[in-house]
Amino acid sequence: MIQFFHWYSDGNGQLYNEIKNSTDFLNDLGISTVWFPPAYKSSGGGYSVGYDPYDLYDLGEFDQKETISTKYGTKQQYLDAVKSLQDKDIQAMVDIVLNHKAGGDEKESFNAIKVDSEDRNHNLSEPFEIESYTKFMFPGRDKKYSDFEWNFTCFSGVDYAENQEEGIYRIINEYAENGWDKMIDDEKGNYDYLMYNDIEHRNPFVSEELNRWGKWYYDTVGFNAVRLDAVKHIGYNFFKEWLTLLRANTQENIFAVGEYWAPGQLPLLQKYIEATEGCMSLFDSSLQHNFHEASNLGDQFDLRKIFDETLTLNDPIHSVTLVDNHDTQPLQQLEAPVENWFKPLAYALILLRENGYPCVFYPDLFGAHYSDQDKDGNPQEIHLEKVENIEQLLKARKNFAYGSQKDYFENPNFIGWIREGNEQHDGCAVTLSNKEASQISMEIGIKYANRTFADFLGKSTEKVIIDENGWGNFQVPAGNVSVWIPEPFD
């Protein structure tokens, strides 16, 4: 799949048209799913990336938040982009943000308790009355599609209280008698609250509305897959029910991947998958963390350990692999970018192996340029270059990454593996290094005896002739990757 946006994607309603116009290109590269950004009207109107959702039913149709279009386009442009992909058998993945709402229409008064931001179970006050923007009536939509109105009983916490200092305020209502919703971990005491108006999923009227909205969204757009935002901040029972009902109501086995960001904490990912009974895959944040570290440590990183403590190694059927995303890119909240020199290696490791469902990040295929401030408030200009040979790596996956796999992870600085191929496709041999050039002897199979292999990426001009036993000595490029495939090839 490809994440066809980043945090600083161009606005002015251009993204949906760009997706529509890229359909043939993506199909040629073997992209089978396109992940769209959040498509509904958000509190930032036409400037919002989409993770501050205001009205889930406004897909760029109503005059709300000073705009009809979202940052990415109108509802019709959205539907046209989805159809253009599906006409080429490319699936549409939609971004589902059901943790919070932002940009309320009116203030309400209610009782709340201020809590410690580092330990949300620690109260800093007695219950007292506050005012906050928790009333959502969506006047621009005028009850079309849904007449549900949100009030303070639909939320468990807020980060704004009129005439009060900044902080986190836990709302007191009948659905939150025992405090925050249950999480699988004790980070920050309880990490139910993340931002804005935190949705109270234990309110049955809320869960019923969100279930109804999911069916409406599917009927309207006809998506094939969902990416679920911020699942670590939502009680684990909610999405079990939501996905079960969505799949039952649509009679489709809709693929789902959740964002539970816990770099280097594989047990948490496994615990969440167990708690949700395997109803969704997760992004392998541990593998992305390993890529980040490997790219910064250079030849001091042991490549044999690149999959250690990852979901891809331990539960590959639930792993979606990635190199970077909109949160890890430079100047963003979870900033942990993979250095440019290592990205071809990282993409080879997710695209050309058996395990995991790989996700390509938009700037890595198209490049990106943007400006913003760093954490210290200093202006920064960022240029993200297109990853070297990314199109060839994608085509190698499409045409050659088939059949059983055998690893040759015997040296800390250069590793390789082979894919045997199948009845329809030749296989390939992959070598990579984070140090100097070398070579690896690998067995690709006796069916390739006496055939000549060449580097599909052009890093080496040498040829490899497979011996009568199916073995070949494959060159390893210095600090890069080679993909060896049988000649002739285009």
Side-chain angles (χ1 to χ4, degrees):
M1 75 172 83
I2 181 171
Q3 178 181 358
F4 206 98
F5 66 100
H6 60 102
W7 196 264
Y8 303 93
S9 290
D10 291 339
N12 301 317
Q14 296 303 307
L15 187 75
Y16 295 150
N17 287 338
E18 184 183 355
I19 293 174
K20 181 179 178 180
N21 295 332
S22 300
T23 300
D24 289 334
F25 173 66
L26 298 175
N27 188 52
D28 184 56
L29 295 179
I31 298 292
S32 56
T33 300
V34 170
W35 164 13
F36 284 75
Y40 15 83
K41 194 66 57 67
S42 296
S43 66
Y47 301 97
S48 173
V49 177
Y51 293 101
D52 52 340
Y54 165 67
D55 185 357
L56 299 175
Y57 288 96
D58 185 356
L59 304 177
E61 180 179 4
F62 304 100
D63 189 355
Q64 300 188 109
K65 299 302 178 185
E66 301 182 353
T67 180
I68 294 177
S69 171
T70 69
K71 177 180 181 178
Y72 308 110
T74 65
K75 176 182 178 181
Q76 191 57 55
Q77 289 174 314
Y78 180 35
L79 299 180
D80 290 345
V82 170
K83 185 178 186 303
S84 71
L85 294 171
Q86 293 174 338
D87 285 347
K88 294 288 186 178
D89 294 324
I90 300 175
Q91 296 191 341
M93 173 183 283
V94 297
D95 207 319
I96 304 293
V97 186
L98 300 183
N99 178 71
H100 50 268
K101 292 183 78 66
D105 298 306
E106 291 182 2
K107 288 181 290 186
E108 294 181 293
S109 297
F110 50 87
N111 288 329
I113 297 172
K114 187 175 184 182
V115 301
D116 188 336
S117 62
E118 295 304 312
D119 180 2
R120 281 77 183 282
N121 291 324
H122 178 216
N123 296 339
L124 298 179
S125 75
E126 295 296 320
F128 70 107
E129 188 173 83
I130 66 171
E131 276 190 300
S132 191
Y133 286 91
T134 51
K135 188 74 171 175
F136 289 75
M137 299 173 293
F138 319 111
R141 178 161 53 82
D142 193 25
K143 296 183 170 51
K144 187 175 182 180
Y145 306 130
S146 172
D147 60 2
F148 188 85
E149 294 186 354
W150 296 67
N151 60 40
F152 75 91
T153 66
C154 301
F155 303 106
S156 60
V158 295
D159 58 3
Y160 173 81
E162 189 85 353
N163 299 321
Q164 298 290 332
E165 61 184 9
E166 184 178 340
I168 298 174
Y169 298 86
R170 180 168 61 81
I171 296 173
I172 299 173
N173 63 51
E174 60 182 299
Y175 309 107
E177 292 180 356
N178 298 317
W180 303 109
D181 205 349
K182 290 182 180 179
M183 302 292 113
I184 66 162
D185 185 39
D186 60 0
E187 184 179 0
K188 295 188 183 295
N190 181 300
Y191 216 166
D192 180 5
Y193 186 84
L194 177 63
M195 61 178 68
Y196 301 117
N197 298 340
D198 188 76
I199 293 177
E200 178 54 88
H201 299 92
R202 293 169 294 183
N203 180 331
F205 300 103
V206 168
S207 58
E208 181 183 355
E209 170 66 5
L210 294 178
N211 288 331
R212 183 168 56 245
W213 170 79
K215 176 63 163 55
W216 171 87
Y217 196 17
Y218 175 85
D219 288 343
T220 302
V221 177
F223 55 79
N224 311 98
V226 293
R227 180 262 186 189
L228 306 174
D229 184 61
V231 298
K232 73 184 289 184
H233 307 287
I234 298 173
Y236 50 83
N237 285 321
F238 171 73
F239 271 124
K240 277 197 298 184
E241 176 186 317
W242 191 84
L243 285 170
T244 297
L245 287 174
L246 179 66
R247 289 162 176 159
N249 290 335
T250 62
Q251 298 185 325
E252 296 286 347
N253 186 25
I254 293 171
F255 175 78
V257 56
E259 180 216 17
Y260 194 112
W261 206 254
Q265 300 181 70
L266 173 65
L268 282 182
L269 303 184
Q270 294 174 308
K271 188 176 180 180
Y272 186 82
I273 290 170
E274 181 180 3
T276 53
E277 300 178 1
C279 69
M280 70 181 79
S281 297
L282 295 179
F283 289 104
D284 195 347
S285 52
S286 291
L287 180 59
Q288 195 279 335
H289 176 72
N290 286 357
F291 288 158
H292 171 66
E293 283 205 331
S295 74
N296 282 283
L297 290 174
D299 62 12
Q300 297 304 302
F301 187 89
D302 188 339
L303 290 175
R304 296 172 299 184
K305 299 180 178 180
I306 196 71
F307 290 106
D308 283 5
E309 298 300 309
T310 65
L311 197 61
T312 303
L313 179 64
N314 291 276
D315 187 5
I317 197 171
H318 288 112
S319 173
V320 172
T321 53
L322 73 164
V323 177
D324 272 323
N325 69 11
H326 62 287
D327 286 325
T328 66
Q329 73 181 101
L331 306 183
Q332 274 310 291
Q333 185 178 7
L334 303 175
E335 181 174 352
V338 176
E339 296 298 319
N340 286 342
W341 76 271
F342 193 79
K343 282 189 173 183
L345 286 74
Y347 272 109
L349 287 160
I350 70 171
L351 289 173
L352 303 179
R353 295 177 59 79
E354 288 179 307
N355 291 346
Y357 180 178
C359 181
V360 177
F361 188 35
Y362 178 98
D364 291 339
L365 182 58
F366 296 99
H369 171 225
Y370 57 89
S371 300
D372 202 352
Q373 293 182 341
D374 62 21
K375 294 176 181 178
D376 297 322
N378 301 313
Q380 300 288 342
E381 187 172 6
I382 303 296
H383 291 270
L384 298 180
E385 301 297 330
K386 177 179 177 178
V387 172
E388 181 186 20
N389 283 322
I390 183 65
E391 293 180 31
Q392 291 296 88
L393 286 165
L394 283 162
K395 289 179 180 178
R397 175 182 176 85
K398 179 182 179 181
N399 296 311
F400 304 105
Y402 297 91
S404 60
Q405 175 179 295
K406 185 175 182 180
D407 290 337
Y408 292 82
F409 285 27
E410 297 167 0
N411 186 286
N413 296 119
F414 43 90
I415 59 174
W417 65 90
I418 63 95
R419 301 292 301 274
E420 288 188 356
N422 58 25
E423 292 182 1
Q424 293 79 34
H425 303 87
D426 280 331
C428 62
V430 184
T431 59
L432 53 88
S433 166
N434 64 1
K435 201 172 183 180
E436 71 271 6
S438 186
Q439 72 174 20
I440 303 176
S441 180
M442 298 190 291
E443 181 185 14
I444 194 162
I446 199 167
K447 70 178 182 178
Y448 297 104
N450 301 315
R451 292 189 66 179
T452 300
F453 278 60
D455 183 5
F456 190 58
L457 306 186
K459 289 297 171 184
S460 175
T461 58
E462 296 188 23
K463 309 289 186 179
V464 176
I465 299 176
I466 307 303
D467 71 19
E468 61 185 8
N469 297 311
W471 286 76
N473 293 318
F474 297 94
Q475 299 299 310
V476 186
N480 216 302
V481 58
S482 287
V483 180
W484 299 88
I485 63 173
E487 290 190 322
F489 60 83
D490 293 330

